[in-house]
Amino acid sequence: NQNNRFNIIMLCDTVCLSCVFTLLADGNPPVETSSAWLIVYVFSLGLSVTLFSVSLWCAVIVERRLHENTASTLERKLFLQSDDLQKVWQHQLENNQPTGPHEIHLVNQAYERWVAEYIEPI
């Protein structure tokens, strides 16, 4: 749910940023516009580009962190529900071994069991 909110924010930022760039490319003020208004116009466009870019950048960072948090939560649930994974990872830690294809296969099996138990088919 939070991921969807940040996706919507990123979409709005992207649309607003494209509108600002459209104004930059095609938005010519009238010829008789005073220099003070031109400075305000250029300053507002620059500020808009900066703020929407920062907002988009921050939303991407938050989205990435939410995905990492979701993945780590799922990994903990899989670990707690699978005795095989607990034994293999304990052996792996005791012998200081890297994660190999066998561990990945066990994670895949635990994930399949978790999906079968908690996710309803469409």
Side-chain angles (χ1 to χ4, degrees):
N1 191 11
Q2 289 178 339
N3 289 352
N4 290 338
R5 290 180 188 167
F6 283 103
N7 282 335
I8 291 170
I9 289 173
M10 287 191 296
L11 177 67
C12 292
D13 284 344
T14 305
V15 169
C16 291
L17 200 56
S18 67
C19 290
V20 170
F21 278 115
T22 301
L23 281 174
L24 276 173
D26 298 330
N28 296 327
V31 177
E32 59 273 352
T33 305
S34 69
S35 62
W37 282 112
L38 286 176
I39 291 172
V40 169
Y41 177 75
V42 169
F43 178 75
S44 358
L45 287 178
L47 186 63
S48 297
V49 167
T50 303
L51 293 178
F52 284 125
S53 298
V54 168
S55 176
L56 185 61
W57 179 63
C58 290
V60 167
I61 290 172
V62 169
E63 180 82 15
R64 186 187 75 227
R65 289 184 179 172
L66 280 172
H67 284 300
E68 289 172 358
N69 182 36
T70 304
S72 67
T73 302
L74 179 60
E75 182 180 338
R76 278 180 285 197
K77 287 180 182 179
L78 293 177
F79 180 76
L80 290 175
Q81 292 178 351
S82 175
D83 292 332
D84 294 338
L85 274 177
Q86 291 178 19
K87 291 175 188 174
V88 167
W89 279 343
Q90 183 63 36
H91 176 73
Q92 185 181 358
L93 286 174
E94 289 171 356
N95 297 322
N96 197 18
Q97 296 175 337
T99 302
H102 178 66
E103 290 83 9
I104 300 299
H105 180 68
L106 289 175
V107 170
N108 190 22
Q109 286 178 339
Y111 181 71
E112 287 175 358
R113 285 192 300 268
W114 183 84
V115 167
E117 185 176 340
Y118 293 105
I119 307 278
E120 295 180 16
I122 296 177

